[in-house]
Amino acid sequence: MQNYGKFYQKSWEERINHISQNEKLTKEQIQILKNSAHNKSLGDTMIENYITDYSYPEGIAFHYLINNKRYLVPMVTEEPSVVAASSHGAAIIAKAGGFLAKTSERLMIGQIILESVEDSAKLIIEIQKLTKDLLVVADQAHPSLKKRGGGTRWLKTRILAEDLVVLNIAIDVQEAMGANMINTMLEAVAARLEAVLRQQVLMSILSNYATECLASTTCKIPYELLSKNGFAGEIIAQKIVQASRVAQLDTYRAATHNKGIMNGIDAVVMASGNDWRAIESGAHAYAARNGQYKGLSTWKISGDYLVGELEIPLPVGFIGGSIGIVPLVSLNQKLMKITSARELEQIIVSVGLAQNLAALLALVSEGIQKGHMRLQLKSLVIAAGANVAEEAVLVDKMLQADKRDIASAKKILTDYRKKDKNG
């Protein structure tokens, strides 16, 4: 490997030249790097060793009616069927009266791990005596949060092992996701513990398992809105309930069930400038909270209705971090017409349930491949070299030939162009 020492200290032009020469990039490859570098100063702010921007497409999902308010929902994803499925699920639910969404208190959990503990029971008693003082120390480490109505709410201790004790501190971070402020507050408390109790601190860090920052949503759909492909709505509803049951019983199915939910959730989290990895980790931990990994959503029959429910941890922010420095995030907030992190949570969790409905509806009525094949084939023919004008024709030809692979797409494109050229 070539020497890339002090790469971060080089200018953008020097980095491009350096990597181009060392890796022997072609002129075309170099131009791709240069053409994709849309905002160099922002890139340098957001990432180490910045060379270019890797772009994902953004689309809009429609038909969202949440707590009697209509929303446009920006979604960022590379999967063709996600936005279409999201809009489809939302449209069905809107006809049924929409989503009823709510949020819990927005508290994040910070953890301080104490190691080499000799008497854990005794240590916990000592910490409990210091609780008020420790919470004050934490709040003083970030006084502006307290002034805005946020700050610490409680401190709890647990014994992890004979030599390990953890302090969990709940913090109201207001409109931010709050990772940096939480870590600052934890480090101040850790320093006090070391000074007063002479106790060794292993680490101080926030937890992405945000069980005190939950968002939930429900919907109630009459049978007649579910009729599809000759299936009665009642039959479709029963099949969706059974599919939901399987996701509660089988971990293999639950993983894919939840992936479909996260297709929509991640796309909105990205569009809102939030940390989708944090949301993913918290959601999947929540799916296993009772000792077995299960589907995050549940569907059941109530009278002549299909009722869906979804609850997940959603510690997203409305301000702070990349939210404040990426121009498109502010635009997306305006498109959604949201004014708070709570409202954003309600949108995101509702998108997850709509996504789940659309996926289950396709699975039990026609199969997921057939339902979304045209959208998938659009990406395939473009990858084969088709231009926008050829796209629709080639998708039709692929469907007629019952072909789904890149080699067939290239052959059909070649044959089509030859025929078009020869009249």
Side-chain angles (χ1 to χ4, degrees):
M1 180 180 287
Q2 299 290 337
N3 181 15
Y4 281 96
K6 306 293 184 182
F7 190 73
Y8 69 96
Q9 293 183 350
K10 299 180 185 297
S11 68
W12 177 79
E13 289 80 8
E14 290 171 335
R15 289 178 206 159
I16 296 298
N17 291 336
H18 197 62
I19 200 170
S20 300
Q21 293 169 8
N22 285 345
E23 305 305 328
K24 297 179 172 56
L25 300 184
T26 65
K27 290 182 179 179
E28 290 77 13
Q29 290 169 333
I30 295 169
Q31 201 58 47
I32 289 172
L33 288 176
K34 291 182 175 180
N35 290 345
S36 297
H38 304 302
N39 194 328
K40 302 179 187 65
S41 60
L42 181 59
D44 268 328
T45 299
M46 297 184 68
I47 193 171
E48 185 86 351
N49 298 328
Y50 170 80
I51 56 171
T52 195
D53 297 313
Y54 186 97
S55 299
Y56 267 37
E58 176 176 317
I60 293 287
F62 295 98
H63 312 305
Y64 275 92
L65 177 62
I66 305 169
N67 297 337
N68 294 318
K69 180 178 176 180
R70 295 195 176 274
Y71 292 93
L72 296 179
V73 183
M75 303 179 75
V76 174
T77 182
E78 86 297 348
E79 192 170 333
S81 60
V82 169
V83 175
S86 182
S87 296
H88 178 53
I92 294 171
I93 294 169
K95 290 177 183 177
F99 300 90
L100 179 61
K102 60 183 180 180
T103 59
S104 69
E105 189 174 8
R106 282 178 46 81
L107 300 181
M108 288 293 291
I109 304 297
Q111 295 191 295
I112 300 173
I113 314 296
L114 305 177
E115 65 173 342
S116 302
V117 177
E118 295 180 359
D119 188 336
S120 55
K122 180 182 177 181
L123 177 60
I124 285 177
I125 292 172
E126 292 175 338
I127 292 172
Q128 289 173 343
K129 291 178 181 178
L130 291 172
T131 294
K132 290 184 179 180
D133 175 60
L134 295 175
L135 294 179
V136 169
V137 168
D139 286 328
Q140 289 177 340
H142 212 294
S144 62
L145 180 60
K146 190 75 172 179
K147 291 178 181 178
R148 296 196 303 271
T152 58
R153 293 294 181 263
W154 48 256
L155 182 155
K156 298 178 182 179
T157 55
R158 284 184 297 129
I159 298 173
L160 300 181
E162 289 184 0
D163 62 328
L164 291 172
V165 170
V166 60
L167 285 77
N168 283 0
I169 301 178
I171 302 171
D172 181 344
V173 293
Q174 295 289 284
E175 293 300 316
M177 190 274 182
N180 291 332
M181 68 175 72
I182 292 170
N183 292 336
T184 298
M185 296 165 77
L186 293 176
E187 287 168 5
V189 174
R192 179 61 62 92
L193 288 170
E194 289 178 327
V196 176
L197 300 181
R198 306 298 180 188
Q199 184 61 54
Q200 187 172 335
V201 175
L202 176 63
M203 67 178 78
S204 304
I205 186 72
L206 88 160
S207 171
N208 291 124
Y209 188 33
T211 54
E212 306 300 315
C213 185
L214 299 175
S216 63
T217 194
T218 62
C219 64
K220 187 176 180 181
I221 308 168
Y223 289 155
E224 59 264 24
L225 294 180
L226 297 170
S227 301
K228 188 173 183 181
N229 294 340
F231 290 101
E234 183 176 1
I235 299 300
I236 292 289
Q238 291 170 351
K239 286 179 174 292
I240 288 175
V241 170
Q242 192 74 323
S244 173
R245 181 178 170 223
V246 173
Q248 297 299 309
L249 296 172
D250 181 57
T251 300
Y252 285 91
R253 173 57 201 149
T256 310
H257 179 98
N258 290 343
K259 190 272 181 181
I261 291 171
M262 300 311 291
N263 274 344
I265 287 175
D266 287 348
V268 186
V269 171
M270 289 180 69
S272 66
N274 277 281
D275 184 349
W276 62 268
R277 286 90 52 197
I279 302 303
E280 278 273 349
S281 64
H284 293 300
Y286 199 66
R289 64 191 181 280
N290 294 321
Q292 178 189 331
Y293 185 88
K294 298 182 178 183
L296 286 163
S297 68
T298 58
W299 295 88
K300 61 185 180 181
I301 300 295
S302 178
D304 294 332
Y305 293 86
L306 175 67
V307 179
E309 299 179 1
L310 175 62
E311 180 180 71
I312 56 170
L314 267 181
V316 294
F318 186 68
I319 60 174
S322 62
I323 296 169
I325 61 176
V326 179
L328 189 54
V329 171
S330 296
L331 174 57
N332 288 340
Q333 289 178 343
K334 184 174 182 179
L335 288 173
M336 286 187 278
K337 293 183 172 63
I338 57 175
T339 58
S340 69
R342 287 182 182 274
E343 193 174 9
L344 177 59
E345 287 180 53
Q346 292 168 1
I347 291 174
I348 294 172
V349 71
S350 297
V351 169
L353 191 58
Q355 209 79 42
N356 186 230
L357 173 64
L360 293 179
L361 186 60
L363 280 169
V364 303
S365 64
E366 61 185 10
I368 201 75
Q369 284 301 98
K370 182 179 178 182
H372 300 305
M373 185 52 67
R374 177 169 286 275
L375 288 168
Q376 293 164 353
L377 286 178
K378 285 175 63 177
S379 295
L380 187 64
V381 299
I382 292 298
N387 58 43
V388 175
E390 297 167 327
E391 177 189 297
V393 175
L394 290 183
V395 167
D396 287 338
K397 289 183 177 295
M398 292 284 287
L399 288 170
Q400 292 167 10
D402 194 24
K403 298 295 184 181
R404 307 288 186 267
D405 60 281
I406 189 71
S408 297
K410 289 180 177 179
K411 184 179 185 305
I412 290 172
L413 175 60
T414 300
D415 294 344
Y416 173 75
R417 286 178 174 173
K418 284 181 179 179
K419 184 177 179 180
D420 187 57
K421 183 177 180 180
N422 295 331

